[in-house]
Amino acid sequence: MDLKEKLVSSFMAFENQIDIDSPVHDVRSEAIKTFEQEGFPTKKQEAWKYTSLKSIINQDYSVFPKQENALEYRDIKKYFIHDIDSYKIVFIDGKYSSHLSQTTHEGFDVCLMSAALNKPKYRLVIENYFNKAATKDSLSSLNTAFASEGAFIHIKKNKLVEKPIQILHFSSGDESALMLQPRNLVVVDENAHVQIIERHQSLTDNPVLTNSVTEIFANKRAIIDYYKVQNDRETASLIDNTFISQKQESHCSVHTFSFGGKLTRNNLNFFQNGERIDSTLKGVTIIGNKQHVDHNTLVHHIEPNCESHQDYKGIFGDNATGVFNGRVIVNKEAQKTNAFQSNNNILISDKASINTKPQLEIFADDVKCSHGCTIGQLDESAMFYMRSRGIPEKEAKALLMYAFSNNVLSSVKIPEIKQRITKIIANKLGVNIGFDL
Amino acid sequence: MLKINNLHASVEDKNILKGINLEVKPGEVHAIMGPNGSGKSTLASVIAGKEEYEVQEGEILLENENIDDLAAEERAHKGVFLSFQYPVEIPGVSVTNFMKTAINETRKAKGLEEMPANEMLKLIREKSELLEIDRKFLSRSLNEGFSGGEKKRNEIFQMAMLEPKLAILDETDSGLDIDALRIVANGVNKLKSKDNAVIVITHYQRLLDYIVPDYVHVLYNGRIVKSGGKELAHELEEKGYDWIKEEINA
């Protein structure tokens, strides 16, 4: 039985396990139908031309998580940003781990999707927001069909959440192959502010496939800073589907740091439903071996006077492959739009490759839209300059690559994250640079 | 200090240096002059270890050791410094961080501990004052958006930080106004001692009024065709290079 059949046939059993009267029952039923019709995307589809799921969907994944698996904090501490006080929502093999988490309901909700889906007091929020931003493509639909657990974050009006929220998904390796489908919902009300860090981490080399959906709603003047740390083992794959719906004058940024994993696909979608919205999408990708990272972004400018800023940097070594597909749509009504996009890549091996494609669809006539992409090698004259000052080749390369990624790191607002990312980069490049950028 | 014997070097199969002989002793200042395209910058790059240049014949000895097979950074660790004609812009790396890395990598290569942070700060302060460099300047990205004068002052600042045995100044005077020229020359003169040596590569005699050479060599068509004292520089300034070309061709 292939994975698609397995998932479709598991659906009935899954629905019976949980409340059939749930308000999302119809949504789920609809979603599994979509997935059944469309199946997993193939390279024949334009949006998947350079990314093949073949090698990751041929595993016999366990699709239902078992009971909570105990992990000790000291064993996984290094995956947390542990030097700052934060809220934590931690999952092990898809199950909530209460003893590793620190949630809250005081003034705002940082809790579980399962609670939001099942408790009457959240019914209105679920009705208003659940599956309202996600597109109805096959992978998001697959996630919707099995949506049962993940993070639920609801920040009330005027609330400034001082501590960042960390969402961590661990896979323990107890299953020989595991498929996870976390579902996160983030609702930030008027004038509220929140910072979120998300990470998926496999603890063994057993194959893991995560098909995650995160819906984020930024209401009027809300500010959301979201950081995705992707530094997983080379047996773990991640399809991250993130949908951000913004209302007027809201500011949202998503930083994606892709440093590891077998296959990583980031479907990052911004919808600007209001005026004077600011959307920021930034990413640093540093991969080697046979790793593959695909950034597939969409910014949909629907209303006038909005801005979007995209800046993705990639460094590819060995046989690594990368894809950047940046789509920007500017509706006819969206006059005075400022949309910027840039994608710069360095190939440090002859066998590495990157496919980069800007895709601008502009229907308004009074807009500023720019895009640029570059693919190059490390600057030889800069290398000689640094080496002539006594900096060895390896360190000089590392320094250049740091410098190359620096633009993206400079907009990270949490210093501990910046330090952590800098350390990961140094680690990736196998050097110890004696300073933080 | 430096001894170059019958040096032939090429880049992309083009012969540029065609038998250079040069000896520089500790405490000396040598000027290398010559018309455009004579091979001056190539000579500087070859001594510093730029990989694009291939040495076909001859040898470069630094303190009696052949350095032909050493990488650029290894030559730097042994005390070779090249002040670039066109310093490279490196966005995202500040002047301070660049210098810290350069100094500590050099110390590491010599088996020394990293320089303590307070000592490093003191050194940076001291040397930046010597070159009249503003503190704010040090946190800017290396050479990015620097004026011509700022770039050259920054080169000499790096020289001051690294304290090389052999400094090669490649067209350090180009793009400098008279004030900057004075600051740069003053910096170089203060760094001079009986134990180190300087090679000044220049097209014009102007810089040599400030950094006074012991010897002046004329490089033409890949060879040193004339050597003399500082008065040779004045002669070249007055008469140009044509008379030398004529002498050679005769």
mmCIF file of all heavy atoms in Angstrom, chain B residues 48-87:
data_model
loop_
_atom_site.group_PDB
_atom_site.id
_atom_site.type_symbol
_atom_site.label_atom_id
_atom_site.label_comp_id
_atom_site.label_asym_id
_atom_site.label_seq_id
_atom_site.Cartn_x
_atom_site.Cartn_y
_atom_site.Cartn_z
ATOM 1 N N ALA B 48 53.427 38.534 -2.528
ATOM 2 C CA ALA B 48 52.412 38.290 -1.494
ATOM 3 C C ALA B 48 51.747 36.918 -1.645
ATOM 4 O O ALA B 48 51.040 36.472 -0.750
ATOM 5 C CB ALA B 48 51.359 39.396 -1.521
ATOM 6 N N GLY B 49 51.934 36.278 -2.806
ATOM 7 C CA GLY B 49 51.421 34.909 -2.937
ATOM 8 C C GLY B 49 50.076 34.767 -3.619
ATOM 9 O O GLY B 49 49.336 33.833 -3.334
ATOM 10 N N LYS B 50 49.750 35.663 -4.532
ATOM 11 C CA LYS B 50 48.479 35.527 -5.250
ATOM 12 C C LYS B 50 48.542 34.314 -6.182
ATOM 13 O O LYS B 50 49.482 34.168 -6.968
ATOM 14 C CB LYS B 50 48.204 36.808 -6.046
ATOM 15 C CG LYS B 50 46.777 36.865 -6.558
ATOM 16 C CD LYS B 50 46.461 38.236 -7.132
ATOM 17 C CE LYS B 50 44.986 38.293 -7.478
ATOM 18 N NZ LYS B 50 44.562 39.618 -7.906
ATOM 19 N N GLU B 51 47.526 33.460 -6.064
ATOM 20 C CA GLU B 51 47.596 32.151 -6.729
ATOM 21 C C GLU B 51 47.471 32.195 -8.250
ATOM 22 O O GLU B 51 47.936 31.289 -8.936
ATOM 23 C CB GLU B 51 46.534 31.214 -6.160
ATOM 24 C CG GLU B 51 46.982 30.623 -4.828
ATOM 25 C CD GLU B 51 45.869 29.916 -4.094
ATOM 26 O OE1 GLU B 51 44.739 29.874 -4.629
ATOM 27 O OE2 GLU B 51 46.128 29.418 -2.994
ATOM 28 N N GLU B 52 46.837 33.226 -8.779
ATOM 29 C CA GLU B 52 46.679 33.294 -10.230
ATOM 30 C C GLU B 52 48.009 33.432 -10.960
ATOM 31 O O GLU B 52 48.106 33.143 -12.142
ATOM 32 C CB GLU B 52 45.792 34.488 -10.645
ATOM 33 C CG GLU B 52 44.327 34.326 -10.316
ATOM 34 C CD GLU B 52 43.994 34.943 -8.977
ATOM 35 O OE1 GLU B 52 44.656 34.583 -7.974
ATOM 36 O OE2 GLU B 52 43.084 35.763 -8.918
ATOM 37 N N TYR B 53 49.009 33.905 -10.225
ATOM 38 C CA TYR B 53 50.309 34.095 -10.868
ATOM 39 C C TYR B 53 51.153 32.843 -10.721
ATOM 40 O O TYR B 53 51.245 32.260 -9.653
ATOM 41 C CB TYR B 53 51.041 35.296 -10.250
ATOM 42 C CG TYR B 53 50.343 36.596 -10.536
ATOM 43 C CD1 TYR B 53 49.448 37.126 -9.623
ATOM 44 C CD2 TYR B 53 50.556 37.261 -11.734
ATOM 45 C CE1 TYR B 53 48.780 38.305 -9.895
ATOM 46 C CE2 TYR B 53 49.910 38.444 -12.014
ATOM 47 C CZ TYR B 53 49.008 38.961 -11.096
ATOM 48 O OH TYR B 53 48.352 40.123 -11.356
ATOM 49 N N GLU B 54 51.758 32.474 -11.824
ATOM 50 C CA GLU B 54 52.581 31.277 -11.783
ATOM 51 C C GLU B 54 54.043 31.662 -11.891
ATOM 52 O O GLU B 54 54.432 32.393 -12.816
ATOM 53 C CB GLU B 54 52.183 30.362 -12.940
ATOM 54 C CG GLU B 54 52.617 28.933 -12.702
ATOM 55 C CD GLU B 54 52.366 28.074 -13.915
ATOM 56 O OE1 GLU B 54 51.360 28.327 -14.616
ATOM 57 O OE2 GLU B 54 53.183 27.185 -14.171
ATOM 58 N N VAL B 55 54.817 31.205 -10.934
ATOM 59 C CA VAL B 55 56.261 31.453 -10.991
ATOM 60 C C VAL B 55 56.872 30.349 -11.836
ATOM 61 O O VAL B 55 56.761 29.181 -11.518
ATOM 62 C CB VAL B 55 56.878 31.460 -9.580
ATOM 63 C CG1 VAL B 55 58.404 31.553 -9.662
ATOM 64 C CG2 VAL B 55 56.323 32.623 -8.775
ATOM 65 N N GLN B 56 57.513 30.741 -12.954
ATOM 66 C CA GLN B 56 58.065 29.729 -13.851
ATOM 67 C C GLN B 56 59.531 29.470 -13.593
ATOM 68 O O GLN B 56 60.049 28.406 -13.878
ATOM 69 C CB GLN B 56 57.895 30.179 -15.306
ATOM 70 C CG GLN B 56 56.449 30.205 -15.714
ATOM 71 C CD GLN B 56 56.193 31.350 -16.645
ATOM 72 O OE1 GLN B 56 56.663 32.457 -16.410
ATOM 73 N NE2 GLN B 56 55.469 31.089 -17.705
ATOM 74 N N GLU B 57 60.183 30.496 -13.094
ATOM 75 C CA GLU B 57 61.619 30.397 -12.942
ATOM 76 C C GLU B 57 62.032 31.328 -11.819
ATOM 77 O O GLU B 57 61.342 32.311 -11.545
ATOM 78 C CB GLU B 57 62.280 30.851 -14.249
ATOM 79 C CG GLU B 57 63.444 29.997 -14.704
ATOM 80 C CD GLU B 57 64.110 30.591 -15.933
ATOM 81 O OE1 GLU B 57 63.389 30.852 -16.926
ATOM 82 O OE2 GLU B 57 65.325 30.820 -15.876
ATOM 83 N N GLY B 58 63.168 31.009 -11.202
ATOM 84 C CA GLY B 58 63.694 31.901 -10.191
ATOM 85 C C GLY B 58 63.122 31.601 -8.816
ATOM 86 O O GLY B 58 62.362 30.649 -8.632
ATOM 87 N N GLU B 59 63.465 32.442 -7.845
ATOM 88 C CA GLU B 59 63.010 32.177 -6.471
ATOM 89 C C GLU B 59 62.861 33.472 -5.683
ATOM 90 O O GLU B 59 63.456 34.499 -6.012
ATOM 91 C CB GLU B 59 63.994 31.239 -5.768
ATOM 92 C CG GLU B 59 65.417 31.780 -5.777
ATOM 93 C CD GLU B 59 66.420 30.842 -5.113
ATOM 94 O OE1 GLU B 59 66.013 29.727 -4.727
ATOM 95 O OE2 GLU B 59 67.578 31.246 -4.964
ATOM 96 N N ILE B 60 62.002 33.358 -4.656
ATOM 97 C CA ILE B 60 61.836 34.475 -3.731
ATOM 98 C C ILE B 60 62.254 33.963 -2.351
ATOM 99 O O ILE B 60 61.673 32.988 -1.856
ATOM 100 C CB ILE B 60 60.366 34.941 -3.662
ATOM 101 C CG1 ILE B 60 59.844 35.268 -5.064
ATOM 102 C CG2 ILE B 60 60.205 36.133 -2.730
ATOM 103 C CD1 ILE B 60 58.350 35.515 -5.119
ATOM 104 N N LEU B 61 63.255 34.603 -1.782
ATOM 105 C CA LEU B 61 63.705 34.184 -0.456
ATOM 106 C C LEU B 61 63.346 35.251 0.567
ATOM 107 O O LEU B 61 63.627 36.432 0.365
ATOM 108 C CB LEU B 61 65.227 33.988 -0.445
ATOM 109 C CG LEU B 61 65.819 33.005 -1.473
ATOM 110 C CD1 LEU B 61 67.346 33.057 -1.433
ATOM 111 C CD2 LEU B 61 65.319 31.594 -1.203
ATOM 112 N N LEU B 62 62.724 34.813 1.639
ATOM 113 C CA LEU B 62 62.450 35.724 2.748
ATOM 114 C C LEU B 62 63.274 35.229 3.921
ATOM 115 O O LEU B 62 63.087 34.101 4.375
ATOM 116 C CB LEU B 62 60.957 35.724 3.089
ATOM 117 C CG LEU B 62 60.539 36.718 4.174
ATOM 118 C CD1 LEU B 62 60.560 38.142 3.647
ATOM 119 C CD2 LEU B 62 59.151 36.375 4.720
ATOM 120 N N GLU B 63 64.167 36.049 4.379
ATOM 121 C CA GLU B 63 65.111 35.666 5.437
ATOM 122 C C GLU B 63 65.743 34.303 5.114
ATOM 123 O O GLU B 63 65.677 33.369 5.911
ATOM 124 C CB GLU B 63 64.423 35.672 6.786
ATOM 125 C CG GLU B 63 64.003 37.095 7.167
ATOM 126 C CD GLU B 63 63.435 37.197 8.577
ATOM 127 O OE1 GLU B 63 62.581 36.351 8.894
ATOM 128 O OE2 GLU B 63 63.844 38.088 9.321
ATOM 129 N N ASN B 64 66.215 34.216 3.895
ATOM 130 C CA ASN B 64 66.912 33.020 3.393
ATOM 131 C C ASN B 64 66.042 31.783 3.219
ATOM 132 O O ASN B 64 66.538 30.703 2.955
ATOM 133 C CB ASN B 64 68.113 32.655 4.285
ATOM 134 C CG ASN B 64 69.144 33.768 4.273
ATOM 135 O OD1 ASN B 64 69.402 34.364 3.214
ATOM 136 N ND2 ASN B 64 69.685 34.085 5.430
ATOM 137 N N GLU B 65 64.740 31.943 3.381
ATOM 138 C CA GLU B 65 63.855 30.797 3.178
ATOM 139 C C GLU B 65 63.059 31.001 1.895
ATOM 140 O O GLU B 65 62.500 32.080 1.662
ATOM 141 C CB GLU B 65 62.887 30.672 4.365
ATOM 142 C CG GLU B 65 62.043 29.413 4.285
ATOM 143 C CD GLU B 65 60.823 29.472 5.207
ATOM 144 O OE1 GLU B 65 60.758 30.400 6.047
ATOM 145 O OE2 GLU B 65 59.937 28.621 5.058
ATOM 146 N N ASN B 66 63.022 29.963 1.067
ATOM 147 C CA ASN B 66 62.260 30.045 -0.170
ATOM 148 C C ASN B 66 60.756 30.030 0.157
ATOM 149 O O ASN B 66 60.263 29.095 0.782
ATOM 150 C CB ASN B 66 62.631 28.848 -1.054
ATOM 151 C CG ASN B 66 62.083 29.017 -2.452
ATOM 152 O OD1 ASN B 66 61.017 29.617 -2.637
ATOM 153 N ND2 ASN B 66 62.800 28.502 -3.436
ATOM 154 N N ILE B 67 60.053 31.055 -0.263
ATOM 155 C CA ILE B 67 58.626 31.127 0.085
ATOM 156 C C ILE B 67 57.723 30.829 -1.116
ATOM 157 O O ILE B 67 56.503 30.987 -1.027
ATOM 158 C CB ILE B 67 58.245 32.508 0.702
ATOM 159 C CG1 ILE B 67 58.551 33.661 -0.266
ATOM 160 C CG2 ILE B 67 58.949 32.712 2.032
ATOM 161 C CD1 ILE B 67 57.957 35.001 0.166
ATOM 162 N N ASP B 68 58.314 30.354 -2.212
ATOM 163 C CA ASP B 68 57.525 30.097 -3.423
ATOM 164 C C ASP B 68 56.299 29.205 -3.199
ATOM 165 O O ASP B 68 55.262 29.413 -3.802
ATOM 166 C CB ASP B 68 58.402 29.421 -4.495
ATOM 167 C CG ASP B 68 59.351 30.433 -5.125
ATOM 168 O OD1 ASP B 68 59.175 31.641 -4.839
ATOM 169 O OD2 ASP B 68 60.242 30.011 -5.870
ATOM 170 N N ASP B 69 56.469 28.201 -2.344
ATOM 171 C CA ASP B 69 55.376 27.250 -2.176
ATOM 172 C C ASP B 69 54.418 27.606 -1.043
ATOM 173 O O ASP B 69 53.513 26.843 -0.729
ATOM 174 C CB ASP B 69 55.950 25.843 -1.931
ATOM 175 C CG ASP B 69 56.657 25.334 -3.183
ATOM 176 O OD1 ASP B 69 56.254 25.736 -4.288
ATOM 177 O OD2 ASP B 69 57.629 24.568 -3.040
ATOM 178 N N LEU B 70 54.637 28.749 -0.426
ATOM 179 C CA LEU B 70 53.777 29.104 0.707
ATOM 180 C C LEU B 70 52.510 29.821 0.242
ATOM 181 O O LEU B 70 52.529 30.611 -0.698
ATOM 182 C CB LEU B 70 54.525 30.001 1.692
ATOM 183 C CG LEU B 70 55.774 29.412 2.373
ATOM 184 C CD1 LEU B 70 56.286 30.384 3.438
ATOM 185 C CD2 LEU B 70 55.455 28.064 3.023
ATOM 186 N N ALA B 71 51.410 29.523 0.921
ATOM 187 C CA ALA B 71 50.147 30.211 0.640
ATOM 188 C C ALA B 71 50.242 31.653 1.125
ATOM 189 O O ALA B 71 51.094 31.988 1.957
ATOM 190 C CB ALA B 71 49.005 29.495 1.342
ATOM 191 N N ALA B 72 49.360 32.484 0.602
ATOM 192 C CA ALA B 72 49.373 33.911 0.952
ATOM 193 C C ALA B 72 49.351 34.108 2.469
ATOM 194 O O ALA B 72 50.098 34.934 3.004
ATOM 195 C CB ALA B 72 48.185 34.614 0.300
ATOM 196 N N GLU B 73 48.488 33.326 3.160
ATOM 197 C CA GLU B 73 48.383 33.524 4.610
ATOM 198 C C GLU B 73 49.667 33.116 5.333
ATOM 199 O O GLU B 73 50.050 33.728 6.320
ATOM 200 C CB GLU B 73 47.173 32.785 5.188
ATOM 201 C CG GLU B 73 47.163 31.274 4.994
ATOM 202 C CD GLU B 73 46.415 30.853 3.737
ATOM 203 O OE1 GLU B 73 46.376 31.648 2.767
ATOM 204 O OE2 GLU B 73 45.862 29.741 3.731
ATOM 205 N N GLU B 74 50.349 32.107 4.784
ATOM 206 C CA GLU B 74 51.602 31.683 5.433
ATOM 207 C C GLU B 74 52.681 32.747 5.260
ATOM 208 O O GLU B 74 53.484 32.982 6.151
ATOM 209 C CB GLU B 74 52.066 30.350 4.846
ATOM 210 C CG GLU B 74 51.117 29.205 5.202
ATOM 211 C CD GLU B 74 51.427 27.929 4.424
ATOM 212 O OE1 GLU B 74 51.627 28.003 3.184
ATOM 213 O OE2 GLU B 74 51.452 26.871 5.056
ATOM 214 N N ARG B 75 52.680 33.394 4.109
ATOM 215 C CA ARG B 75 53.640 34.491 3.899
ATOM 216 C C ARG B 75 53.321 35.643 4.855
ATOM 217 O O ARG B 75 54.218 36.260 5.421
ATOM 218 C CB ARG B 75 53.573 34.980 2.456
ATOM 219 C CG ARG B 75 53.948 33.861 1.475
ATOM 220 C CD ARG B 75 53.965 34.338 0.054
ATOM 221 N NE ARG B 75 53.970 33.187 -0.846
ATOM 222 C CZ ARG B 75 54.431 33.208 -2.086
ATOM 223 N NH1 ARG B 75 54.910 34.329 -2.595
ATOM 224 N NH2 ARG B 75 54.387 32.125 -2.832
ATOM 225 N N ALA B 76 52.014 35.890 5.012
ATOM 226 C CA ALA B 76 51.606 36.950 5.946
ATOM 227 C C ALA B 76 52.081 36.615 7.353
ATOM 228 O O ALA B 76 52.586 37.487 8.068
ATOM 229 C CB ALA B 76 50.091 37.124 5.923
ATOM 230 N N HIS B 77 51.936 35.336 7.738
ATOM 231 C CA HIS B 77 52.374 34.933 9.079
ATOM 232 C C HIS B 77 53.879 35.129 9.250
ATOM 233 O O HIS B 77 54.367 35.375 10.353
ATOM 234 C CB HIS B 77 52.014 33.467 9.341
ATOM 235 C CG HIS B 77 50.527 33.218 9.317
ATOM 236 N ND1 HIS B 77 49.983 31.985 9.042
ATOM 237 C CD2 HIS B 77 49.475 34.052 9.500
ATOM 238 C CE1 HIS B 77 48.658 32.075 9.062
ATOM 239 N NE2 HIS B 77 48.330 33.327 9.333
ATOM 240 N N LYS B 78 54.626 35.041 8.137
ATOM 241 C CA LYS B 78 56.081 35.240 8.208
ATOM 242 C C LYS B 78 56.457 36.714 8.124
ATOM 243 O O LYS B 78 57.630 37.046 8.130
ATOM 244 C CB LYS B 78 56.771 34.463 7.093
ATOM 245 C CG LYS B 78 56.675 32.953 7.294
ATOM 246 C CD LYS B 78 57.669 32.220 6.428
ATOM 247 C CE LYS B 78 57.569 30.710 6.650
ATOM 248 N NZ LYS B 78 57.961 30.324 8.032
ATOM 249 N N GLY B 79 55.455 37.585 7.989
ATOM 250 C CA GLY B 79 55.762 39.005 8.054
ATOM 251 C C GLY B 79 55.700 39.766 6.745
ATOM 252 O O GLY B 79 56.211 40.872 6.643
ATOM 253 N N VAL B 80 55.074 39.168 5.716
ATOM 254 C CA VAL B 80 54.900 39.902 4.459
ATOM 255 C C VAL B 80 53.557 40.632 4.502
ATOM 256 O O VAL B 80 52.545 40.054 4.888
ATOM 257 C CB VAL B 80 54.925 38.943 3.243
ATOM 258 C CG1 VAL B 80 54.651 39.706 1.947
ATOM 259 C CG2 VAL B 80 56.259 38.224 3.158
ATOM 260 N N PHE B 81 53.561 41.874 4.114
ATOM 261 C CA PHE B 81 52.310 42.644 4.078
ATOM 262 C C PHE B 81 52.210 43.385 2.751
ATOM 263 O O PHE B 81 53.172 44.001 2.301
ATOM 264 C CB PHE B 81 52.269 43.648 5.227
ATOM 265 C CG PHE B 81 51.030 44.514 5.210
ATOM 266 C CD1 PHE B 81 49.880 44.089 5.867
ATOM 267 C CD2 PHE B 81 51.009 45.733 4.545
ATOM 268 C CE1 PHE B 81 48.737 44.869 5.848
ATOM 269 C CE2 PHE B 81 49.865 46.516 4.520
ATOM 270 C CZ PHE B 81 48.733 46.081 5.174
ATOM 271 N N LEU B 82 51.040 43.292 2.127
ATOM 272 C CA LEU B 82 50.811 44.027 0.886
ATOM 273 C C LEU B 82 49.690 45.039 1.100
ATOM 274 O O LEU B 82 48.575 44.677 1.448
ATOM 275 C CB LEU B 82 50.423 43.050 -0.240
ATOM 276 C CG LEU B 82 49.935 43.668 -1.558
ATOM 277 C CD1 LEU B 82 51.018 44.520 -2.217
ATOM 278 C CD2 LEU B 82 49.474 42.577 -2.534
ATOM 279 N N SER B 83 50.023 46.303 0.889
ATOM 280 C CA SER B 83 48.987 47.329 0.895
ATOM 281 C C SER B 83 48.444 47.400 -0.533
ATOM 282 O O SER B 83 49.181 47.685 -1.470
ATOM 283 C CB SER B 83 49.583 48.675 1.321
ATOM 284 O OG SER B 83 48.671 49.713 1.044
ATOM 285 N N PHE B 84 47.164 47.107 -0.686
ATOM 286 C CA PHE B 84 46.587 46.945 -2.028
ATOM 287 C C PHE B 84 46.373 48.268 -2.750
ATOM 288 O O PHE B 84 46.006 49.269 -2.136
ATOM 289 C CB PHE B 84 45.231 46.227 -1.925
ATOM 290 C CG PHE B 84 45.329 44.738 -1.784
ATOM 291 C CD1 PHE B 84 46.062 44.173 -0.749
ATOM 292 C CD2 PHE B 84 44.675 43.891 -2.671
ATOM 293 C CE1 PHE B 84 46.161 42.796 -0.602
ATOM 294 C CE2 PHE B 84 44.758 42.512 -2.534
ATOM 295 C CZ PHE B 84 45.500 41.971 -1.499
ATOM 296 N N GLN B 85 46.583 48.211 -4.053
ATOM 297 C CA GLN B 85 46.261 49.384 -4.870
ATOM 298 C C GLN B 85 44.752 49.621 -4.851
ATOM 299 O O GLN B 85 44.286 50.736 -4.720
ATOM 300 C CB GLN B 85 46.740 49.151 -6.305
ATOM 301 C CG GLN B 85 46.497 50.347 -7.201
ATOM 302 C CD GLN B 85 47.050 50.132 -8.602
ATOM 303 O OE1 GLN B 85 47.557 49.055 -8.929
ATOM 304 N NE2 GLN B 85 46.955 51.164 -9.428
ATOM 305 N N TYR B 86 44.010 48.515 -4.959
ATOM 306 C CA TYR B 86 42.553 48.606 -4.885
ATOM 307 C C TYR B 86 42.056 47.692 -3.768
ATOM 308 O O TYR B 86 41.718 46.535 -4.013
ATOM 309 C CB TYR B 86 41.921 48.177 -6.212
ATOM 310 C CG TYR B 86 42.419 48.972 -7.398
ATOM 311 C CD1 TYR B 86 43.280 48.408 -8.330
ATOM 312 C CD2 TYR B 86 42.042 50.309 -7.557
ATOM 313 C CE1 TYR B 86 43.754 49.138 -9.412
ATOM 314 C CE2 TYR B 86 42.525 51.056 -8.633
ATOM 315 C CZ TYR B 86 43.376 50.462 -9.560
ATOM 316 O OH TYR B 86 43.845 51.204 -10.618
ATOM 317 N N PRO B 87 41.985 48.221 -2.548
ATOM 318 C CA PRO B 87 41.531 47.379 -1.431
ATOM 319 C C PRO B 87 40.111 46.857 -1.711
ATOM 320 O O PRO B 87 39.277 47.570 -2.249
ATOM 321 C CB PRO B 87 41.534 48.334 -0.239
ATOM 322 C CG PRO B 87 42.528 49.395 -0.612
ATOM 323 C CD PRO B 87 42.363 49.564 -2.100
#
